[in-house]
């Protein structure tokens, strides 16, 4: 056998192994959508990938058993609000940490780094009482404030700082010469140059908020206020009977649009996560 | 920098104490203040408060609180057998998850770091669960892992294996949760490894190959040491992530069977919000904080030693 | 400036989208039903309250039933309690013990034409402490056997209603019938615990009817009852049915009665509303009797008023209105009443559109004789402490007696 033949065989083996490894990553999605079209009886019957009887009605019923459209909208606007807020404040703070010299910077960085290590579960109890004292229980405020100002916000700040540090200073210096204020430099020069970092922060923040579970679980109690993950985990009729097929239909409705966006922009999204991971 | 002192800058000559240095400092703090104030209010404040909470006996429902000193810690560490059981579960979860996740992530990254036909497809597939909500993921796997009607077991039956009732069997529930969690999260670590692998100059490898090194030798002697910083970051992040796991457990097992998947994060939630023991739950939260911090430090120090 | 604008815009947007806080003259009632017919009826009751209280708007807020008590806890602990709430029987003692519930006795007893003594005494047991009344039951729902008539016919078996009429509907007959049903319908089961739960959730609900039919109880007066001979015999029988006869849907399986996958289940009368869409002939019968005689078990839900509420006196008046004779009779179409006058009425027996009068008589009798599930202020802890032991019980090779002793060892300190 020539070296070339060995390489071909070697490659094919890898590809086959990868294809097999890919099954548990793809199959849950396929099964979820397929089961979303089935009746409860069929879900627990002999498994078939193609439903024997297509129940499109499931996807209509999802909206009548819970205010699902409202819940969908809640998730969407909260994620947008968290993303917008995070972009603004993390790029401001990240810029200051990258470009300005000030007393307390070292200590601040230390605080921020340690925040990254602290799980949300540690601070959730005092935060519950804090939000309570603000009278914001069963509103969407805690779902916007806590992720924005918690460890995730700090992570976004670091990501922005890292990016600003790598930018050439010359343009900003020139901007100052032209009489721009610090704020002007940040807004007109630094931000436009850091679109990739802003996009990365936007993507991971949006998904972070979209998938948030512990905070909604603790702060929300009215059905109309629920976000998607909470609604999905609670898919029962008014007697508490689980609606298996509707739960899967609703899960499909929640997951598939995100997956489609992901498939379209997979390169960008994957790179964003890569950036967020190497921030340390 | 000195050139910045323009006369047309309004603040520069108004107040003599507002020198350039102070001005920059003021500006910096203005830039940082939204993040910093939020950080104080929603993170640092609560972190300090929880130390006080942990020394009270505080009923969530009646809102009656009494100072009890270190009673809650004593209760957790010495009296309540549940606590050590829960810590054990958390450790099993981390010990099972972290190496499995990292080994799989590295294997996939090695396979996918060079371009070949289909590489984009595979990367996209392995990363897809990362963008999916943990709740949705857990909902689907809970169905797939059903006892007799479950898809996994029906497939196993085809090859003559009588699969267990995965999530109800104490011997299997933890394993099932770990594996589904790894599938969900491995894409993230894979991407980090791919980025690190692509940053390694190809000449190193070429040179080694010319000298007759095997694939394994190249990996062991060249690639692995160069990946060390990435490995450290991944290890720290994955370990912390494994201690934080909540939604996955909440949806798949609720801590059962026989408390076999009752992990620390879930136990805190249960004690604080289901049994109304705010003080005890706060003590648990502090213990969790200490464990995570200690583990992080140990990992950082170990790796530093190894690198020297 | 742009930042300021963005932030103002964001907060304005956020503010508009968040639901406005409730107005001062509103009464908030937290309920777990989202059913249109239920809500229509409740709103009708709220409308009639306006005759005497024209300014009061009563708003019913639905909280999902599966996590209801937890969500109510978050509302109360979060400083945002409703004025009135539906409360499940197992949650009531914890809330009462924390001093959160108002004594509504004086208000309801003073209400015109209320006739407090009309409530059946056993039904009030859970909601009274001495002279204090901290809740009024609005639903006192007995557990009944629902059966799939078609599956019985197919197996050529007499249905539970006929057996009960002859006095032959015993636990042994139940076991035998369930086994035959499972054999006659491959891939299906003879019996499913309420709503397919019973193993990881509603652990005690699955066991209680049988244990009581044997003459025991799960606990009484701070004494664990699971390890008593009656309970052991009862649970052994159920265990055999699950693992030997394979006639009860085992843990981790779905044998949904309402989709026709189990021939029988135990459930409450309110579930009858799910039956028209089930697509098979059905009926309801009493729970099987055992060596200890009959054992009607009832599930209760009550109306409570929160001490922290802003309008508690008004809230108590609304509870009095909602549970007066007329409205209890109205609600009886969905929620079985605890008022004797309504229970005995022809309207109640004949008024259920789904259940024939003959079967409703059994319902009525089960309510009068019924006993509620034992309550405890530490119910959540007790259930959590019990869970791992109950998990150990529901295994094919489990030693039932040892497992139940384990249950008692785990929960006795909490009782």
């Amino acid at each position: 056998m020539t070296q070339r033949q060995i390489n071909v065989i070697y490659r094919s083996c890898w590809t086959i192994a990868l294809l097999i490894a890919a099954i548990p990553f793809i199959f849950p999605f396929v099964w979820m959508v397929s089961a979303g079209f089935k009746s409860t009886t069929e879900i627990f019957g002999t498994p078939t990938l193609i439903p024997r009887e297509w129940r499109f009605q499931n996807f209509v019923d999802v909206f009548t058993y819970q205010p699902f459209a409202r819940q969908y909208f809640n998730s969407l606007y909260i994620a947008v609000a968290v993303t917008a807020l995070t972009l603004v404040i993390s790029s401001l703070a990240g810029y200051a940490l990258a470009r300005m010299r000030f007393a307390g910077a070292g200590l601040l960085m230390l605080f921020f780094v340690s925040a990254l290590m602290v799980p949300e579960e540690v601070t959730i109890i005092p935060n519950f009482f804090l939000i309570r004292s603000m009278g914001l229980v069963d509103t969407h405020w805690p779902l916007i404030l806590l992720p924005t100002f918690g460890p995730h916000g700090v992570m976004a700040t670091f990501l922005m700082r890292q990016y600003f540090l790598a930018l050439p200073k010359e343009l900003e210096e020139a901007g100052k010469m032209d009489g721009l204020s610090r704020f002007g430099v940040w807004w007109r020069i630094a931000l436009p140059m850091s679109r990739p970092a802003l996009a990365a922060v936007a993507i991971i923040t949006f998904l972070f908020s979209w998938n948030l579970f512990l905070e909604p679980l603790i702060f929300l109690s009215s059905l109309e206020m629920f976000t998607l993950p909470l609604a999905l985990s609670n898919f029962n009729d008014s007697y508490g009977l689980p609606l298996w097929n509707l739960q899967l239909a609703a899960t499909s409705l929640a997951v598939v649009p995100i997956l489609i966006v992901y498939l379209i922009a997979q390169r960008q999204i994957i790179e964003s996560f890569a950036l967020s991971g190497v921030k340390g | 920098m000195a050139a910045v002192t323009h006369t047309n800058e309004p603040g520069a000559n108004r107040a003599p104490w507002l020198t350039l240095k102070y001005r920059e400092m003021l500006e910096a703090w203005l830039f940082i203040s939204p993040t910093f104030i939020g950080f104080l209010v929603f993170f640092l404040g609560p972190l300090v408060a929880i130390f006080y909470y942990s020394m009270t006996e505080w009923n969530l429902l009646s809102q009656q609180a009494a100072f009890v000193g270190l009673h809650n810690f004593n209760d957790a560490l010495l009296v309540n057998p549940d606590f050590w059981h829960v810590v054990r579960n958390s450790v099993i979860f981390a010990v099972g998850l972290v190496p499995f996740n990292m080994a799989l992530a590295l294997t996939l990254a090695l396979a996918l770091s060079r371009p070949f036909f289909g590489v984009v497809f595979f990367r996209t597939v392995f990363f897809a669960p990362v963008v999916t909500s943990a709740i949705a993921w857990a909902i689907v796997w809970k169905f797939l892992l059903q006892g007799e009607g479950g898809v996994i077991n029906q497939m196993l039956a085809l090859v003559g294996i009588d699969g267990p009732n995965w999530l109800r069997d104490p011997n299997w529930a933890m394993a099932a949760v770990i594996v589904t969690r790894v599938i969900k999260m491995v894409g993230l670590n894979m991407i980090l490894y791919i980025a690190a692998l692509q940053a390694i100059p190809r000449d190193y490898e070429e040179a080694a190959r010319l000298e007759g090194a095997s694939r394994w030798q190249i990996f062991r002697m060249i690639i692995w040491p160069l990946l060390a910083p990435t490995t450290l970051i991944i290890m720290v992040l994955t370990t912390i992530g494994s201690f934080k796991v909540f939604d996955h457990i909440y949806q798949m097992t609720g801590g059962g069977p026989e408390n076999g998947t009752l992990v620390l994060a879930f136990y805190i939630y249960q004690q604080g919000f289901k049994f109304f023991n705010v003080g005890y739950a706060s003590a648990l939260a502090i213990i969790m904080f200490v464990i995570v911090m200690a583990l992080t430090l140990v990992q950082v120090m170990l790796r530093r030693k190894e690198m020297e | 400036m742009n930042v300021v604008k963005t932030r103002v815009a964001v907060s304005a947007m956020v503010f508009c989208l968040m639901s406005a806080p409730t107005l001062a003259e509103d009464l908030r009632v937290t309920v777990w039903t989202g059913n249109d017919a239920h809500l229509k009826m409740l709103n009708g009751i709220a409308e009639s309250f306006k005759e005497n209280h024209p300014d009061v708007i009563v708003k019913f807020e639905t909280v999902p039933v599966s996590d209801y008590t937890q969500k109510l806890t978050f509302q109360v602990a979060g400083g945002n309690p409703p004025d009135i709430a539906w409360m499940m029987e197992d949650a009531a003692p914890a809330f009462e013990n924390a001093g959160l519930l108002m004594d509504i006795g004086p208000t309801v007893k003073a209400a015109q034409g209320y006739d407090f003594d009309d409530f059946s005494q056993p039904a009030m047991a859970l909601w009274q402490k001495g002279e204090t009344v901290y809740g009024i039951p609005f639903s006192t729902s007995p557990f009944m056997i629902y059966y799939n008539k078609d599956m019985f016919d197919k197996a050529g078996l007499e249905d539970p209603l006929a057996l009960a009429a002859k006095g032959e509907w015993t636990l042994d007959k139940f076991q035998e019938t369930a086994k035959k049903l499972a054999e006659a319908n491959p891939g299906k089961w003879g019996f499913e615990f309420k709503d397919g739960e019973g193993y990881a959730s509603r652990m005690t609900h699955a066991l209680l009817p049988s244990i009581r039919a044997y003459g025991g109880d799960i606990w009484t007066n701070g004494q664990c009852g699971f390890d008593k001979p009656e309970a052991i015999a009862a649970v052994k029988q159920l265990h055999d049915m699950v693992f030997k006869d394979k006639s009860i849907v085992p843990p981790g399986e779905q044998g949904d009665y309402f989709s026709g996958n189990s021939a029988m289940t135990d459930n409450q009368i309110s579930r009858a509303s799910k039956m028209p869409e089930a697509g098979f002939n059905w009926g309801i019968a009493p729970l099987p009797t055992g060596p200890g005689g009959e054992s009607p078990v009832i599930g209760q839900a009550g109306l409570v008023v929160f001490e922290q509420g802003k309008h508690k006196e008004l809230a108590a008046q609304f509870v009095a209105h909602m549970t007066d004779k007329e409205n209890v009779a109205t609600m009886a179409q969905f929620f079985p009443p605890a008022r004797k006058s309504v229970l005995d009425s022809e309207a109640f027996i004949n008024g259920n559109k789904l259940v024939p009068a003959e079967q409703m008589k059994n319902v009525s009798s089960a309510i009068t004789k019924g006993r509620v599930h034992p309550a405890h202020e530490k119910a959540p802890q007790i259930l959590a402490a019990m869970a791992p032991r109950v998990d150990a019980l529901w295994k094919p090779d489990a030693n039932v007696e040892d497992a139940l002793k384990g249950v008692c060892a785990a929960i006795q300190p909490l009782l």
Side-chain angles (χ1 to χ4, degrees):
Chain A
M1 257 194 280
T2 64
Q3 183 64 33
R4 171 173 280 264
Q5 278 171 320
I6 292 174
N7 271 346
V8 168
I9 291 169
Y10 186 78
R11 276 266 158 248
S12 324
C13 287
W14 262 116
T15 309
I16 290 166
L18 283 170
L19 277 174
I20 292 169
I23 293 172
F25 291 78
I26 302 177
F27 183 74
F29 295 116
V30 178
W31 185 83
M32 167 186 77
V33 175
S34 139
F37 283 103
K38 292 177 179 174
S39 67
T40 307
T41 326
E42 204 186 330
I43 290 178
F44 294 110
T46 322
T48 49
L49 217 46
I50 311 293
R52 273 191 297 273
E53 173 207 357
W54 291 80
R55 280 177 57 107
F56 292 97
Q57 189 61 29
N58 287 352
F59 289 87
V60 178
D61 290 346
V62 162
F63 291 89
T64 54
Y65 272 103
Q66 285 204 44
F68 194 68
R70 174 72 212 236
Q71 293 163 344
Y72 214 105
F73 178 71
N74 289 343
S75 270
L76 201 61
Y77 99 82
I78 292 172
V80 169
V82 171
T83 308
L85 260 177
T86 304
L87 280 177
V88 173
I89 69 156
S90 69
S91 60
L92 272 172
Y95 183 75
L97 288 170
R99 282 287 191 259
M100 303 181 185
R101 273 191 259 162
F102 58 99
L107 194 65
L108 200 62
M109 288 289 283
L110 191 71
F111 267 144
F112 281 174
V113 172
S114 47
L116 290 177
M117 308 291 163
V118 181
E120 285 92 347
E121 284 87 352
V122 171
T123 50
I124 194 73
I125 293 171
N127 268 325
F128 178 77
F129 289 100
L130 178 66
I131 295 296
R132 167 205 152 95
S133 68
M134 295 172 160
L136 297 177
V137 168
D138 206 19
T139 71
H140 290 147
W141 284 105
L143 275 52
I144 294 171
L145 296 174
L146 295 186
T148 306
F149 294 110
H152 182 83
V154 170
M155 198 272 299
T157 302
F158 273 114
L159 207 152
M160 290 310 301
R161 171 182 174 268
Q162 215 66 10
Y163 199 85
F164 286 129
L165 278 177
L167 285 180
K169 279 185 183 166
E170 288 72 22
L171 266 173
E172 293 178 42
E173 303 283 341
K176 275 188 223 166
M177 302 285 253
D178 291 346
L180 280 178
S181 65
R182 265 292 183 190
F183 189 82
V185 170
W186 169 80
W187 176 250
R188 289 180 191 283
I189 298 171
L191 275 192
M193 285 199 300
S194 45
R195 286 220 180 88
L198 290 170
V201 168
I203 287 168
I204 53 179
T205 307
F206 187 93
L207 284 169
F208 179 79
S209 168
W210 182 264
N211 294 335
L212 206 60
F213 183 68
L214 181 64
E215 285 81 357
L217 177 71
I218 282 163
F219 290 110
L220 301 181
S221 52
S222 322
L223 266 180
E224 313 78 64
M225 301 299 278
F226 276 20
T227 57
L228 282 180
L230 196 54
L232 296 179
S233 76
N234 226 333
F235 229 96
N236 303 296
D237 70 6
S238 49
Y239 301 116
L241 294 182
L243 300 158
W244 307 115
N245 50 351
L246 296 197
Q247 186 180 38
L248 287 162
T251 308
S252 307
L253 285 175
V255 168
V256 169
I258 295 285
L259 274 185
I260 290 173
V261 172
Y262 165 68
L263 289 182
I264 294 168
Q266 55 85 18
R267 177 177 286 272
Q268 173 92 52
I269 290 173
I270 291 178
E271 274 170 13
S272 303
F273 276 90
L275 265 180
S276 78
V278 290
K279 69 204 175 266
Chain B
M1 283 303 275
V4 185
T5 343
H6 276 286
T7 39
N8 60 356
E9 288 229 320
N13 48 10
R14 198 182 298 152
W17 53 268
L18 208 59
T19 61
L20 190 65
K21 195 176 145 207
Y22 282 110
R23 194 195 149 101
E24 170 147 315
M25 194 161 129
L26 189 72
E27 277 176 339
W29 277 100
L30 273 176
F31 270 59
I32 286 177
S33 58
T35 302
F36 185 65
I37 293 170
F39 180 75
L40 282 186
V41 175
F42 295 105
F43 185 81
L44 210 57
L47 199 58
V48 174
I50 201 158
F51 280 87
Y52 168 70
Y53 285 27
S54 70
M55 288 184 270
T56 62
E57 192 166 319
W58 184 337
N59 183 304
L60 181 72
L61 269 187
S62 67
Q63 303 283 336
Q64 307 279 329
F67 188 81
V68 293
L70 295 176
H71 175 82
N72 288 321
F73 291 94
N74 185 56
D75 214 23
L77 299 171
L78 301 175
V79 181
N80 197 335
D82 281 355
F83 173 77
W84 289 107
H85 180 73
V86 167
V87 169
R88 200 179 129 254
N89 282 344
S90 288
V91 170
I92 292 176
F93 186 81
V95 168
L97 183 130
V98 177
F100 181 23
N101 185 328
M102 291 179 68
L104 185 59
L106 183 57
T107 313
L108 291 175
L110 286 169
L112 299 175
S113 62
R114 301 277 165 74
F116 67 93
F117 178 74
V119 71
V120 176
F121 167 79
F122 283 120
R123 277 189 212 169
T124 310
V125 163
F126 293 127
F127 195 77
V130 177
V131 301
T132 311
S133 96
I135 286 293
W137 190 249
I139 285 172
V140 175
W141 277 100
K142 194 176 172 182
F143 280 102
L144 298 178
L145 292 167
Q146 290 272 337
E148 274 166 45
V151 177
I152 305 289
N153 279 353
Q154 303 227 8
M155 285 179 181
L156 286 178
L158 292 180
V159 289
I161 300 172
D162 187 15
N165 193 344
W166 300 96
L167 297 176
R168 296 279 313 163
D169 187 330
N171 299 320
W172 286 103
M174 183 61 107
V177 173
I178 290 174
V179 170
T180 52
R181 183 78 185 170
V182 167
I183 300 172
K184 160 101 176 73
M185 296 307 290
V186 72
L188 190 55
N189 290 346
M190 172 192 83
I191 288 304
L192 300 182
Y193 265 133
I194 288 179
L197 283 169
Q198 286 174 340
I200 297 175
R202 292 202 65 168
D203 342 352
Y204 290 16
E205 215 177 305
E206 293 299 323
R209 188 165 294 146
L210 286 178
E211 284 174 26
S214 71
R215 279 177 198 275
W216 169 249
Q217 281 169 324
I218 293 172
F219 173 73
R220 183 68 194 88
M221 309 310 281
I222 299 173
I223 298 177
W224 177 245
L226 286 172
L227 287 178
T230 310
T231 303
L232 173 64
I233 292 167
I234 290 180
M235 206 152 103
V236 171
L237 291 180
T238 312
T239 309
I240 294 175
S242 79
F243 270 86
K244 284 165 69 158
V245 65
F246 174 79
D247 31 19
H248 216 92
I249 300 281
Y250 179 94
Q251 186 61 37
M252 276 183 94
T253 61
E258 299 183 36
N259 286 348
T261 57
L262 190 63
V263 293
L264 204 46
F266 193 80
Y267 188 55
I268 292 174
Y269 168 80
Q270 196 184 43
Q271 286 294 334
F273 295 112
K274 273 199 134 58
F275 303 162
F276 321 130
N277 297 326
V278 172
Y280 184 62
S282 300
L284 295 172
I286 289 178
I287 293 170
M288 179 176 185
F289 175 65
V290 170
I291 291 177
V292 170
M293 281 295 179
L295 279 173
T296 310
L297 279 179
V298 166
Q299 288 184 349
V300 171
M301 286 192 310
L302 275 180
R303 297 297 303 202
R304 189 168 290 167
K305 216 172 177 184
E306 199 175 288
M307 269 183 259
E308 273 163 9
Chain C
M1 274 318 280
N2 281 302
V3 188
V4 177
K5 263 190 221 156
T6 321
R7 297 182 81 190
V8 169
V10 168
S11 22
M13 177 186 84
V14 166
F15 191 80
C16 293
L17 292 165
M18 287 177 179
S19 65
T22 42
L23 298 170
E25 57 271 34
D26 287 359
L27 276 184
R28 271 176 64 213
V29 188
T30 306
V31 299
W32 56 73
T33 179
N35 181 298
D36 285 339
H38 292 178
L39 290 174
K40 208 175 145 207
M41 179 190 75
L42 293 173
N43 283 323
I45 293 173
E47 207 48 46
S48 63
F49 188 60
K50 275 190 173 170
E51 284 166 21
N52 293 323
H53 302 83
D55 300 334
V56 180
I57 299 167
V58 182
K59 284 206 326 208
F60 293 95
E61 291 181 0
T62 303
V63 168
V65 63
S66 51
D67 216 14
Y68 182 81
T69 303
Q70 183 70 72
K71 293 290 175 204
L72 197 59
T73 305
F74 287 136
Q75 288 195 351
V76 174
N80 184 31
D83 296 289
I84 301 169
W86 284 10
M87 182 155 289
M88 297 187 188
E89 52 185 353
D90 55 352
F95 281 81
E96 194 273 331
N97 205 46
L100 296 169
L101 305 181
M102 177 191 174
D103 177 9
I104 53 176
T107 312
V108 296
K109 284 173 188 164
Q112 212 182 354
Y114 193 75
D115 190 8
F116 184 75
D117 295 329
D118 187 27
F119 283 94
S120 127
Q121 210 41 51
M124 284 305 296
L126 190 61
W127 309 95
Q128 264 182 307
K129 215 178 198 179
E131 279 301 291
T132 319
V133 179
Y134 60 87
I136 301 286
F138 71 89
S139 176
T140 303
S141 197
F143 284 84
M144 309 295 290
I145 294 287
Y146 279 71
Y147 59 89
N148 182 327
K149 184 90 172 83
D150 294 349
M151 284 172 79
F152 272 84
D153 290 348
K154 195 181 155 207
L157 292 167
E158 249 185 308
D159 69 46
L161 190 66
L163 290 167
K166 290 194 286 183
E168 289 172 20
W169 184 230
T170 62
L171 277 172
D172 291 340
K173 189 78 188 171
F174 166 68
Q175 180 177 10
E176 182 194 322
T177 310
K179 193 172 176 211
K180 283 183 184 156
L181 285 161
E183 282 161 0
N185 297 280
K188 299 188 177 184
W189 279 277
F191 181 76
E192 181 201 25
F193 288 125
K194 181 179 190 290
D195 299 333
E197 295 175 305
Y199 299 110
S201 55
R202 294 190 187 269
M203 299 167 290
T204 54
H205 284 87
L207 305 175
L208 184 63
S210 280
I211 292 179
R212 281 201 177 152
Y214 270 84
D217 209 330
I218 55 175
W219 67 75
T220 38
N221 302 324
Q223 266 299 315
C224 179
F226 283 106
D227 56 356
K228 303 280 181 293
E230 300 86 14
I232 292 170
V235 177
K236 262 190 184 147
Q237 185 174 34
L238 290 173
H239 197 270
D240 283 351
M241 289 178 73
V242 175
F243 296 108
K244 281 212 187 96
D245 301 354
K246 300 195 190 297
S247 60
I248 297 184
V249 184
E253 299 298 329
Q254 303 303 329
D256 188 24
Y257 166 81
F258 297 99
S259 328
N261 288 332
S262 291
M264 292 184 281
T265 188
D266 60 337
N267 218 321
Q268 286 162 301
I269 187 76
S270 53
R271 292 299 192 283
S273 63
K274 274 197 69 106
M275 295 311 302
E277 60 196 80
F280 53 79
N281 291 307
W282 58 283
I284 56 178
L287 293 175
T289 57
E294 271 185 274
S295 87
V297 175
I298 47 178
Q300 262 196 327
L303 282 156
V304 299
V305 174
F306 283 97
E307 276 288 353
Q308 299 157 287
K310 291 183 202 83
H311 324 282
K312 34 183 207 176
E313 188 49 43
L314 188 64
Q317 284 170 21
F318 184 70
V319 171
H321 173 70
M322 203 169 159
T323 55
D324 69 11
K325 279 185 186 163
E326 190 188 335
N327 284 326
V328 166
T330 308
M331 287 197 291
Q333 56 178 310
F334 299 117
F335 307 116
R339 278 183 178 274
K340 288 176 277 188
S341 61
V342 181
L343 274 175
D344 298 338
S345 69
E346 285 295 308
F348 176 63
I349 303 288
N350 295 317
N352 197 306
K353 293 181 200 81
L354 298 164
V355 185
E358 169 202 15
Q359 297 176 21
M360 279 307 284
K361 277 188 192 138
N362 288 326
V363 174
S364 177
S365 125
I367 296 174
T368 334
K369 292 181 204 152
R371 279 185 293 152
V372 294
H373 184 287
H376 201 284
E377 78 224 27
K378 284 191 183 151
Q381 281 102 313
I382 293 174
L383 290 178
M386 191 186 283
R389 320 290 171 167
V390 174
D391 287 337
L393 166 69
W394 292 118
K395 281 200 224 144
D397 49 356
N399 180 324
V400 171
E401 190 169 344
D402 290 350
L404 289 175
K405 285 199 169 126
V407 170
C408 275
I411 69 172
Q412 190 59 54
L414 291 161
L415 293 169

